[in-house]
Amino acid sequence: KLLTATAALAVLGPNFQYQTKAVAPAAPQGGTVDRIWLVGSGDPVLASADFAAYLQANPITRDDVTPRLETLADGIVAAGVHSVPGGVIGDDSRYDQQRYLPSWSPTYRTDPDVGPLGALTVNGGYRITNGRPVPVDDPAQYAAATLTQLLQARGVQVGPPSAHQTAPASAATVASVSSPPLRDILVSSLRSSDDLAGELLAKELGVHTANQGTTAAGVQAINTTLAHLGVPTAGVHLVDGSGLDLGNRVPCATLVSVLALAETPTFQAVLDGLPVAGAEGTLAGRLEGTASAGKLPAKTG
């Protein structure tokens, strides 16, 4: 995750923001649009208010940033939309359709460590069932259904949700929601060791460097970017963007170099994102009552 974050800051910049849009065939006419495409931008932290509350109740994720899908629903209503007979269509065409890497352990899904990958994801690809996060089968369909529910709660008449249809280039933007700046997403995701964020960031790097929203393109972008930054990459073997895959190999010299880069302003989010022992993130419950508590920043792995 430290390598992925460093490459993302170099390629995208600390101020980069995801833009998730709701678009329609044309501007609302008499309060109606035929249909709405919910166009995924790869935002890994977009959430509904109930899921954000679930995260805040957990010491590890309580400081996670979560732009709200409710903001998008409010924007659609503010644009004068009262009826969407064709329903909400989830457009996740920015990335490929691979939900889990074939080399990953099946337990990553069932534990769960990471939700299904996709360019259109809400709530990390999880549905809370009996107080426990359960991965959904289709993140784009789930996102479309969640927005449909939010619109219906606001009095909008909406047809059944669907997914996997690409919005036409001529579509009119009805509303959008922006993510926090990348630096804030990275601080949040590193502290809680958010695997989905690492994976989707890799795919976004693939889009920006090779116009391919794939893990393979993202991994290549990470390797190339680190080498360009002067980070020693001999012995580095990356399979994914999160570090979940047991085939990942990163020498200590590479990690030391990345942390040295993090002392410069562009990459400061990497240091700021290290959880602190006995205080926050994945180290919130570790080394409590020791001399390290409140003082030792580290990255679990």
Side-chain angles (χ1 to χ4, degrees):
K1 292 185 182 70
L2 298 179
L3 274 59
T4 301
T6 300
L9 288 166
V11 173
L12 306 175
N15 296 319
F16 170 81
Q17 291 177 281
Y18 295 94
Q19 300 283 338
T20 303
K21 296 181 179 180
V23 304
Q29 297 291 328
T32 297
V33 293
D34 289 342
R35 60 187 61 85
I36 284 177
W37 286 274
L38 177 58
V39 183
S41 63
D43 187 344
V45 295
L46 184 64
S48 57
D50 56 347
F51 189 78
Y54 166 80
L55 294 177
Q56 290 167 9
N58 186 323
I60 292 177
T61 56
R62 64 188 174 200
D63 296 322
D64 281 9
V65 294
T66 50
R68 304 297 169 81
L69 192 61
E70 283 84 354
T71 301
L72 188 62
D74 290 339
I76 293 170
V77 172
V81 175
H82 304 297
S83 176
V84 189
V88 176
I89 305 168
D91 176 356
D92 62 348
S93 59
R94 186 171 182 83
Y95 302 159
D96 66 4
Q97 298 297 303
Q98 187 177 58
R99 304 305 181 202
Y100 295 91
L101 271 65
S103 55
W104 281 354
S105 167
T107 61
Y108 295 165
R109 174 184 173 93
T110 57
D111 278 349
D113 289 308
V114 61
L117 310 181
L120 176 57
T121 305
V122 66
N123 298 341
Y126 293 120
R127 178 183 289 107
I128 302 301
T129 303
N130 297 324
R132 183 178 184 273
V134 177
V136 301
D137 292 327
D138 187 333
Q141 178 73 29
Y142 176 58
T146 303
L147 180 58
T148 297
Q149 293 169 0
L150 293 174
L151 290 173
Q152 290 171 338
R154 286 157 174 76
V156 181
Q157 300 296 313
V158 190
S162 58
H164 311 302
Q165 181 187 113
T166 303
S170 60
T173 298
V174 178
S176 65
V177 59
S178 301
S179 75
L182 179 62
R183 60 177 176 271
D184 294 343
I185 292 175
L186 290 175
V187 169
S188 169
S189 64
L190 287 172
R191 282 180 181 168
S192 62
S193 202
D194 186 336
D195 293 307
L196 183 75
E199 293 304 327
L200 296 190
L201 271 170
K203 289 179 185 285
E204 187 64 20
L205 289 172
V207 171
H208 280 258
T209 60
N211 199 31
Q212 297 176 24
T214 67
T215 298
V219 164
Q220 181 59 50
I222 294 168
N223 282 318
T224 301
T225 301
L226 292 176
H228 180 74
L229 292 170
V231 173
T233 57
V236 172
H237 178 70
L238 300 182
V239 181
D240 59 23
S242 66
L244 277 174
D245 199 284
L246 297 181
N248 289 303
R249 295 290 183 271
V250 183
C252 293
T254 302
L255 293 175
V256 170
S257 180
V258 163
L259 290 174
L261 271 178
E263 294 181 351
T264 63
T266 299
F267 302 100
Q268 180 67 38
V270 173
L271 280 186
D272 291 344
L274 295 179
V276 176
E280 61 189 8
T282 53
L283 291 180
R286 303 196 194 186
L287 299 174
E288 293 177 299
T290 73
S292 297
K295 300 175 183 177
L296 175 66
K299 179 69 192 80
T300 54

